[in-house]
Each structure stands twice: as C-alpha cells, then as structure tokens.
C-alpha cells in the first residue's frame, strides 16, 4: 500500500513530462484558393492537410492571386505563434522565398501573394516550387514544418519576363577621374564692356553737375598748398583703388586683392579726413 502511494506521484510527474514533450504546433481549417481577375469559373479552392501535400500542383497564373487561410494551434488549442511563414523553394537551385502570415491573437492567419511578389529566379523555375508551412514559437512545443503543396508558376507567354536588376553591394569601385575646368581669369567681355561704358557715361554727368553747382577750380592751388600731403594721398588712393580693381579683374586672386585694398582704403580714409578738414576751414572762412 505504501509502495503504491509513493509510486503514484512519480507516475503523474512522468505523465506530465511526456504530455509536455508531446505538445507541438499544428494548424486547422487550412484553405488554399487561387483566383484570377474576372475569372471566377477557373478559380481553385482546396483544403490543406498537415501530414500529406496536395496530390496535384497548384497553378498560379500571371493574373492570379493565391491566398491561404488557417488557424494555428498549439497542442490542439488555437493560439498565435511567434513565427508563421510559407516557404517556397526551387527544387533545382535551392533558392527560397518566404511569405509571412498575418496572424491574429485567436490564431487565425492569412497570407496572399501573386506572381509580381515572387523573385525573378522562382518565376523561371523548370519544376513546381515546393511549398512548406512553418509554425513555431518560444517554449518547449515542437515547431511545425511540413510540405503542404507544390506551386506551378505559369508566366504569361505573351509578356516578357522582368529584367534582373543587380542588387546594390558596397565595396571597392573603380577610380573616378575628374576633369576640372580652369578657373576663369576674367568675366565675359560683353558684361565687362557694358559696365565700362556705364562708368564712362557718368563722367560727363559729373562734370555737368559741377558746372551747374558752380565748382571753383581757382581754389585748387590754394587747397594743395594748405594740405598737399592729404590731398595728394587722397587722390592717389582713389587711383590706386581703381588699379587694384583692374588687377583683380585681370589676374589677381581675392586673397591678393583684399590686403592691398585694405591698405589703400585705410590711407584714403585718413588722408580724406584731413583733406575734408582743410575744405571745411575754407568754407568757414567764407570762401566758395
């Protein structure tokens, strides 16, 4: 009696371990259907088995769409797996393509695709594609991976197959040899000529304005005599600045022109201030 009492718990634990090890993923109520655009008469529909593939290959035309609806189960109970895929494999080359199921919490899942979703390599396969259903999740339950049907892809004979595009791969490329144009030494001649004429046209206007306002050239000698250095440097800085602009236009660079322009501009500012002070003194003395 005592032996039976000690044996019963061991048998229960052993039975629970066997039941846990025997649990696995599977599916129920799996329906496969193929429909075409506006072709309901040629539609295909069948039920998938979890232990044997369909007897005949499923044909997928160029305008057809294949859809699979199923209910995933774990140990006989409807449940959502972490992984649910339909694997299509080329039996000649071994190339594979996977299509994930959209699965709800109730375990109901769906996948659908057409020829445009298949890789080019699978469209040109000489044999029907082997379709395998994969259901798996975390835990000790055994995953489901069985061959459920064969897929015979029938491209449109009147339409050319899509061209294979080589995927982008990062790596060493060929050297690129750039050919740079020489920096322009001067601007367009037409534009330069236009601005030269525009500047020269202001000279008669300036002389006319001086004559109209009553400019007195008789004070020139007196102004130069009172401040010869200031007037000479100021007038010379104006001419020097014009020369700098000419050299910059002809062959100087910007970094060669800026220091020279800065020095000449400083000289013009200081000498111009002294020259204007001399002119102011004559204006205050009533000389016009």
């Amino acid at each position: 009696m005592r032996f039976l009492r000690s044996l019963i718990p061991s048998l229960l634990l052993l039975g629970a371990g066997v039941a846990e090890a025997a649990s696995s993923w599977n599916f129920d109520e799996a329906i496969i259907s193929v429909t075409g655009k506006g072709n309901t008469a040629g539609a295909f529909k069948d039920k998938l088995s979890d232990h044997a593939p369909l007897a005949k290959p499923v044909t997928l035309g160029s305008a057809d769409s294949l859809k699979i609806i199923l209910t995933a189960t774990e140990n006989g109970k409807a449940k959502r797996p972490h992984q649910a895929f339909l694997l299509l494999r080329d039996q000649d080359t071994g190339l594979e393509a996977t299509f994930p199921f959209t699965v709800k919490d109730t375990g109901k899942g769906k996948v659908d695709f057409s020829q445009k979703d298949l890789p080019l390599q699978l469209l040109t396969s000489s044999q029907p594609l082997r379709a395998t259903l994969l259901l798996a999740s975390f835990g000790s339950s055994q995953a489901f991976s069985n061959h459920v049907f064969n897929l015979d892809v029938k491209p449109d004979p009147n339409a050319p197959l899509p061209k294979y595009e080589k995927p982008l791969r990062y790596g060493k490329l060929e050297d690129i040899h750039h050919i740079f144009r020489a920096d322009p030494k001067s601007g367009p001649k037409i534009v330069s000529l236009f601005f030269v004429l525009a500047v020269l046209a202001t000279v008669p206007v300036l002389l006319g304005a001086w004559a109209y306002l009553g400019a007195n050239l008789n004070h020139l000698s007196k102004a130069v005599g009172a401040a010869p250095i200031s007037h000479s440097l100021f007038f010379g800085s104006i001419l020097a600045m014009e020369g700098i602009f000419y050299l910059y236009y002809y062959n100087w660079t910007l970094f060669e022109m800026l220091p020279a322009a800065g020095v000449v501009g400083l000289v013009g500012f200081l000498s111009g201030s002294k020259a204007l002070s001399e002119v102011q003194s004559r204006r205050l003395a009533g000389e016009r």
Side-chain angles (χ1 to χ4, degrees):
M1 190 69 177
R2 293 180 178 178
F3 175 74
L4 292 176
R5 290 179 179 178
S6 61
L7 185 60
I8 289 175
S10 300
L11 293 176
L12 292 176
L13 291 175
L14 180 61
V18 172
E20 183 178 359
S23 61
S24 61
W25 284 94
N26 208 321
F27 65 86
D28 190 15
E29 301 176 359
I31 303 298
I32 179 173
S33 60
V34 177
T35 56
K37 294 183 178 179
N39 186 14
T40 58
F44 169 82
K45 188 175 184 180
D46 202 347
K47 185 176 181 180
L48 297 177
S49 174
D50 59 352
H51 58 276
L54 297 180
K56 295 182 180 181
V58 179
T59 303
L60 181 65
S62 59
D64 295 340
S65 177
L66 186 146
K67 181 170 64 174
I68 299 177
I69 301 176
L70 55 77
T71 301
T73 61
E74 182 184 21
N75 201 20
K77 297 181 180 179
K79 191 176 180 181
R80 178 183 182 182
H82 287 85
Q83 295 181 347
F85 294 96
L86 180 68
L87 176 67
L88 299 180
R89 184 175 184 271
D90 189 338
Q91 302 185 56
D92 294 331
T93 62
L95 295 176
E96 298 176 342
T98 56
F99 296 89
F101 279 82
T102 302
V103 187
K104 298 181 180 180
D105 294 335
T106 57
K108 294 186 178 296
K110 182 184 71 171
V111 63
D112 56 346
F113 58 89
S114 59
Q115 281 195 19
K116 65 180 181 180
D117 301 317
L118 296 176
L120 176 61
Q121 292 82 355
L122 298 185
L123 292 177
T124 58
S125 177
S126 60
Q127 298 187 48
L129 304 177
R130 181 185 176 92
T132 302
L133 185 61
L134 304 174
L135 299 173
S137 187
F138 300 107
S140 59
S141 298
Q142 184 179 1
F144 178 85
S145 177
N146 281 357
H147 175 209
V148 288
F149 65 93
N150 291 323
L151 182 63
D152 189 10
V153 181
K154 297 291 186 182
D156 187 359
N158 299 323
L161 291 175
K163 295 182 179 180
Y164 172 74
E165 296 182 1
K166 186 178 180 180
L168 177 63
R169 298 184 182 276
Y170 295 95
K172 184 178 180 180
L173 301 177
E174 297 181 358
D175 293 338
I176 301 177
H177 300 281
H178 294 282
I179 300 176
F180 296 98
R181 295 181 179 178
D183 294 334
K185 296 182 179 180
S186 60
K189 294 183 178 180
I190 298 178
V191 177
S192 302
L193 183 61
F194 171 78
F195 282 101
V196 168
L197 294 177
V199 172
L200 294 178
T202 60
V203 175
V205 177
L206 178 61
L207 296 177
W210 282 353
Y212 178 77
L213 296 175
N216 191 357
L217 297 179
N218 296 327
H219 289 182
L220 179 61
S221 59
K222 188 174 183 180
V224 173
I229 299 177
S230 300
H231 286 288
S232 300
L233 289 178
F234 179 68
F235 184 72
S237 64
I238 295 176
L239 297 179
M241 188 65 70
E242 296 297 331
I244 290 174
F245 287 152
Y246 173 77
L247 292 176
Y248 173 66
Y249 172 82
Y250 186 69
N251 59 4
W252 272 14
T253 63
L254 181 64
F255 297 101
E256 293 175 332
M257 185 271 290
L258 288 178
V263 173
V264 173
L266 180 62
V267 173
F269 173 76
L270 297 177
S271 61
S273 299
K274 296 294 184 179
L276 289 177
S277 297
E278 188 277 330
V279 174
Q280 183 182 16
S281 63
R282 285 189 286 108
R283 293 293 186 269
L284 293 176
E287 298 179 0
R288 298 292 180 179

